[in-house]
Amino acid sequence: MSNNIRKQLVTYALPYANGSLHLGHMVGFIQTDIWVRFQRLLGHNCYFVSGDDAHGTPIMLRAEALGITPEELVRQIQIEHEADLKDFLIGLDNFYTTHSTENQALASDMYQRLQKQGDIVKRTIKQAFDPVKNMFLPDRYVKGECPKCHAKDQYGDSCEQCGATYTPTDLINATSVVSGATPIEKESEHYFFCLEKHEEFLKEWTHHNNHLQPEITKKLEEWFSVGLNQWNISRDAPYFGFEIPETRGKYFYVWLDAPIGYMASFKNLCQKTNGLSFEEYWAQSSHTELYHFIGKDIVYFHALFWPAILKSSEYRTPSHVFVHGFLTVNGQKMSKSRGTFIKARTYLDHFNPELLRYYIASKLNSGIEDLDFQQDDFVARINSDLVGKLVNIASRTASFINKLFAGRLAATIADHVLWNRFTEARLVIEKHYQDREFSRAIREIMKLTDLANQYIDDHKPWLLAKSSEKINEVQMVCSFSLDLFRILMTYLQPILPTLAKAVEDFLNVPLTWENLTKPLLNHTINPFKPLLQRIDLTEVIAMSEESKEVIEPATEITLKTTVLEEDPIRETITLEDFAKIDLRVAKVIQAEPVEDAQKLIKLVLDVGGEIRHVFAGIKECYEPEQLIGKSVVLVANLAPRKMRFGVSEGMILAAGNGGKNIWVLEPDPNAPAGARVK
Ligand code: MSP
Ligand code: ZN
């Protein structure tokens, strides 16, 4: 094997640094990790890098909402992600971040290479702009009514109801998600990468050498038939990212520097690793292998933009991009309210990581179909395959060897035919791993597991042990069973690395691919300790219950963090800042629901000599009738806001962060309408 050691670099998509990892992310990391561990088991030189994707508007706004700098946010999240991945036994060589000096240097340099090639053009375009927040708005930050089917509450790029695509300002009654203001159109100069110039290269690249799975190549054909467009790679300030060289206030779009983050993570690894050369893996002349594992939602970036950018900036292109499907839970898209949006950490608080690794592997193949985490199925699969069948082989036989033979295994193979069947399965299992057909590998391994159990059932060591003249047979049968167990655990090692380690300690032998051809004879093993316990459905239910609580902020706060940890106090303001806000006591004289608006109540307020109409987003928590006659606090000098239903002339104060957590503030009912609040 040593004469054809391959040099491989494997990456998994960089998760965004604005939230926790969930089981969906783990599907991809687990798939990649199993493949990498398999390569390493074959003796190949396989590096595995990933990191956080730190840039972009959502991260900037999330940091702002938390009252911390984006740098601080991405630093905290990186620590959290790294711990989650480690605890899921993801064998990364490096988990880095796109907000790094290496990435900035690489992105700037590659951009300049693209410029030299004449692949960057400048053009002025119009975009949605938030006049209150003073920022350009990504499509997802504009919401309004679909101009085509009039569905409410649609994003600025496309309608989830009718599928129409449009620009944010086409929306009827568009509002900025950031400030609630009506976006305007504003011009700005942008930098574009000429993707269309690479059409010939991309057509060729996407169709050859199995760079992509067939279903992905087919999907790309649709995109080719629509035609490739220039790609806007710049964003205006304020933006969290890298400033584009020789510009002011223009930043690289997050998706430009994100895949470059793979290179940066590897570069950082090279700096920490003697003899590892960045050029050897990334130069155009490289003979090493480069694999990107990603989910199906980000194919466009990896199969079109990325190869074109690498090519144009004179780096090597990927050997393969491997795409996986999405995780659903109990047959549905993961949902916070159903408790199916399970964070990696929540899972780890309830279960051993290897159970999920095994379960996911048993569902994964080389295709891009979605896979389902089904709670009963999970419990059944683990209890039946791992506890009932696999580990059972050892627990049924080890104690005889330990007690009757002081841990000594027999000197000969009990059943050559069966032993050969086990070791010969290596070829097909190897092929399944290599082809990312993990479910098939597992099916093959489970067939063998059944055979091993059948062998034990047939020979019944517990009966043999009753008569002293059959004592040698007991040793033969149990030694042989444990050797079969060793072979099975070797096959499963990429999926169950910790269990494999425990079995190495127990059998006192390394579980290596080379050892597959060597029977374990005349060998002393260690005392057997239970390896895995059965799991119970109630524990899965407890996990989803806990996941439900994660989105009900009030509960989460009492369970996990304090209110202030969740929502820290903002930076200090001066008395003058505060005095700008004119707060008045107001009496609710009328309150009625707003037709078509799920969350709004229309209030008519007496502000002590003036009547104000206010639309308040509190319908999920209050019935209109309940409010009539109440005193409230009005932000009286807030600029009027035009809404689809009319103009809102101010805002009433409420505590809580929305949804079911809204508590309207009520002053002492004796305070007269119009009284200033200070
Ligand atoms: N930051 C980008 C990737 C940049 S790569 C240069 C991104 N981040 S992500 O956090 O949204 O997703 C990270 C990975 O997790 C992607 O491969 C994505 O497909 C995958 N998944 C996110 N949700 C998933 C499921 N529900 N199921 C399976 N994979 C999922 O995209
Ligand atoms: Zn529509």
Side-chain angles (χ1 to χ4, degrees):
M1 226 177 285
S2 54
N3 50 2
N4 57 356
I5 291 182
R6 290 154 61 177
K7 291 188 171 176
Q8 304 164 316
L9 173 58
V10 178
T11 70
Y12 187 65
L14 315 179
Y16 286 120
N18 61 345
S20 299
L21 297 181
H22 51 69
L23 294 194
H25 294 117
M26 293 323 301
V27 167
F29 275 108
I30 288 172
Q31 179 186 42
T32 316
D33 186 60
I34 292 173
W35 199 76
V36 165
R37 284 180 187 270
F38 166 71
Q39 302 299 339
R40 290 176 183 161
L41 205 53
L42 290 187
H44 298 313
N45 217 329
C46 187
Y47 291 100
F48 179 14
V49 302
S50 185
D52 271 341
D53 190 350
H55 293 151
T57 307
I59 290 167
M60 178 179 80
L61 293 176
R62 172 112 185 98
E64 192 181 302
L66 292 169
I68 56 178
T69 60
E71 286 84 356
E72 179 57 20
L73 173 67
V74 306
R75 202 185 60 80
Q76 287 175 10
I77 296 266
Q78 193 187 346
I79 293 170
E80 181 193 312
H81 285 181
E82 212 170 335
D84 290 348
L85 294 167
K86 181 167 165 282
D87 290 348
F88 265 103
L89 313 169
I90 307 301
L92 285 158
D93 292 295
N94 205 24
F95 189 80
Y96 207 42
T97 168
T98 59
H99 195 63
S100 65
T101 47
E102 290 89 342
N103 202 37
Q104 180 155 28
L106 279 164
S108 303
D109 176 65
M110 286 169 78
Y111 166 78
Q112 279 159 340
R113 292 180 185 208
L114 302 181
Q115 254 183 338
K116 272 204 203 101
Q117 299 288 342
D119 276 352
I120 301 288
V121 294
K122 251 197 303 191
R123 186 148 48 85
T124 296
I125 55 166
K126 270 192 199 159
Q127 279 177 307
F129 184 82
D130 184 325
V132 172
K133 188 81 183 163
N134 261 312
M135 62 180 278
F136 284 95
L137 293 166
D139 295 353
R140 287 261 139 175
Y141 284 85
V142 184
K143 278 190 145 187
E145 183 179 320
C146 168
K148 205 167 157 205
C149 77
H150 297 278
K152 305 262 152 47
D153 226 23
Q154 296 303 314
Y155 288 117
D157 50 354
S158 63
C159 173
E160 284 182 337
Q161 290 299 318
C162 74
T165 56
Y166 38 72
T167 60
T169 41
D170 294 337
L171 286 171
I172 302 168
N173 288 313
T175 53
S176 157
V177 173
V178 185
S179 71
T182 305
I184 57 169
E185 276 200 327
K186 198 174 157 174
E187 289 196 333
S188 170
E189 194 169 58
H190 278 277
Y191 295 77
F192 291 79
F193 171 64
C194 300
L195 183 69
E196 77 288 357
K197 281 202 199 166
H198 299 277
E199 182 163 339
E200 276 323 299
F201 159 73
L202 286 171
K203 275 189 174 155
E204 160 88 18
W205 189 84
T206 54
H207 281 82
H208 288 90
N209 298 327
N210 286 322
H211 288 136
L212 303 167
Q213 292 131 290
E215 54 272 53
I216 299 294
T217 304
K218 219 161 146 207
K219 183 82 206 153
L220 292 178
E221 263 156 26
E222 280 171 37
W223 287 330
F224 283 124
S225 69
V226 184
L228 301 180
N229 291 317
Q230 294 184 344
W231 181 40
N232 186 352
I233 55 155
S234 57
R235 291 298 182 266
D236 284 289
Y239 196 75
F240 183 51
F242 295 135
E243 206 162 37
I244 302 181
E246 287 152 32
T247 72
R248 273 260 185 90
K250 301 282 174 194
Y251 289 80
F252 286 128
Y253 174 40
V254 50
W255 267 108
L256 181 89
D257 67 68
I260 297 174
Y262 297 139
M263 301 168 86
S265 185
F266 185 69
K267 189 154 214 175
N268 178 255
L269 177 67
C270 291
Q271 281 149 22
K272 300 189 278 194
T273 314
N274 258 342
L276 190 59
S277 145
F278 180 81
E279 281 69 34
E280 185 180 0
Y281 283 80
W282 287 97
Q284 222 159 25
S285 58
S286 174
H287 291 298
T288 64
E289 301 160 32
L290 171 64
Y291 303 101
H292 299 304
F293 283 76
I294 59 166
K296 66 177 182 182
D297 55 328
I298 52 177
V299 167
Y300 205 97
F301 298 103
H302 285 85
L304 293 178
F305 294 136
W306 182 230
I309 282 183
L310 285 169
K311 157 98 179 343
S312 176
S313 57
E314 297 181 328
Y315 283 102
R316 60 92 42 85
T317 48
S319 313
H320 293 276
V321 174
F322 292 137
V323 183
H324 63 77
F326 260 51
L327 183 75
T328 55
V329 178
N330 298 330
Q332 283 171 309
K333 222 171 116 173
M334 301 200 301
S335 130
K336 297 197 175 182
S337 59
R338 280 193 289 266
T340 53
F341 202 93
I342 302 164
K343 288 183 180 179
R345 184 52 57 185
T346 311
Y347 171 93
L348 290 167
D349 289 341
H350 290 268
F351 293 106
N352 171 344
E354 297 197 295
L355 309 187
L356 186 75
R357 292 175 63 100
Y358 181 81
Y359 184 72
I360 296 289
S362 76
K363 308 223 146 203
L364 273 171
N365 57 35
S366 61
I368 59 165
E369 309 91 63
D370 290 347
L371 42 149
D372 193 35
F373 178 96
Q374 213 274 323
Q375 52 186 38
D376 306 296
D377 183 41
F378 172 65
V379 174
R381 172 69 60 146
I382 295 307
N383 287 343
S384 148
D385 283 10
L386 294 187
V387 186
K389 294 178 178 178
L390 180 71
V391 166
N392 204 26
I393 299 172
S395 39
R396 296 169 85 186
T397 54
S399 60
F400 295 108
I401 298 292
N402 288 144
K403 281 190 201 133
L404 303 176
F405 308 98
R408 192 73 184 165
L409 298 180
T412 51
I413 296 180
D415 183 334
H416 279 276
V417 176
L418 191 55
W419 198 82
N420 288 341
R421 166 93 175 75
F422 267 61
T423 52
E424 279 159 11
R426 195 195 84 198
L427 287 180
V428 51
I429 291 166
E430 226 175 82
K431 180 162 179 3
H432 290 328
Y433 271 124
Q434 181 63 42
D435 296 343
R436 303 176 331 285
E437 289 288 346
F438 300 160
S439 60
R440 290 184 182 208
I442 284 188
R443 236 176 295 148
E444 206 57 46
I445 297 166
M446 276 302 129
K447 263 197 259 165
L448 298 177
T449 308
D450 288 337
L451 291 179
N453 278 300
Q454 189 61 53
Y455 173 85
I456 300 170
D457 291 343
D458 291 346
H459 292 84
K460 303 186 179 47
W462 55 93
L463 289 186
L464 298 174
K466 288 188 175 153
S467 54
S468 54
E469 69 270 25
K470 299 232 168 111
I471 204 72
N472 286 344
E473 258 181 82
V474 175
Q475 192 185 21
M476 286 286 276
V477 168
C478 293
S479 300
F480 182 64
S481 303
L482 288 173
D483 200 18
L484 298 184
F485 180 60
R486 174 186 66 90
I487 296 172
L488 294 171
M489 280 311 305
T490 306
Y491 290 146
L492 285 167
Q493 193 178 14
I495 301 170
L496 306 169
T498 303
L499 189 66
K501 180 80 194 56
V503 171
E504 282 186 338
D505 292 343
F506 156 55
L507 292 179
N508 194 20
V509 67
L511 300 182
T512 64
W513 229 238
E514 293 84 41
N515 282 347
L516 281 171
T517 50
K518 301 174 201 146
L520 199 58
L521 303 170
N522 266 331
H523 172 91
T524 304
I525 62 167
N526 290 313
F528 177 74
K529 290 188 218 113
L531 294 167
L532 276 184
Q533 312 298 328
R534 288 177 66 83
I535 58 168
D536 204 275
L537 184 62
T538 52
E539 193 67 31
V540 189
I541 293 169
M543 176 174 76
S544 12
E545 283 306 310
E546 203 178 309
S547 302
K548 267 182 206 159
E549 289 160 357
V550 168
I551 48 104
E552 279 165 15
T555 340
E556 187 193 18
I557 287 158
T558 51
L559 278 177
K560 312 212 111 181
T561 55
T562 65
V563 177
L564 288 188
E565 277 172 341
E566 184 68 13
D567 186 6
I569 290 169
R570 302 230 174 110
E571 61 189 35
T572 307
I573 60 166
T574 62
L575 195 58
E576 291 90 84
D577 290 336
F578 176 68
K580 283 190 192 158
I581 306 170
D582 196 342
L583 300 171
R584 300 293 173 134
V585 172
K587 298 270 180 217
V588 180
I589 47 184
Q590 220 181 336
E592 55 189 53
V594 180
E595 220 180 294
D596 286 345
Q598 271 175 28
K599 295 181 182 159
L600 291 184
I601 293 181
K602 181 179 173 184
L603 299 170
V604 180
L605 303 175
D606 174 7
V607 200
E610 196 178 317
I611 297 297
R612 290 283 185 93
H613 295 258
V614 168
F615 291 94
I618 55 176
K619 195 152 86 189
E620 284 174 283
C621 299
Y622 291 90
E623 292 299 327
E625 303 76 63
Q626 247 180 299
L627 297 164
I628 296 171
K630 269 194 199 231
S631 278
V632 293
V633 179
L634 174 76
V635 185
N637 62 338
L638 190 68
R641 230 173 92 198
K642 201 168 152 278
M643 300 173 84
R644 191 151 47 91
F645 325 95
V647 177
S648 187
E649 304 164 323
M651 189 175 93
I652 64 164
L653 295 189
N657 49 7
K660 299 262 180 283
N661 296 310
I662 301 175
W663 300 278
V664 170
L665 292 196
E666 276 188 81
D668 185 327
N670 296 321
R676 180 183 294 281
V677 179
K678 47 186 187 174

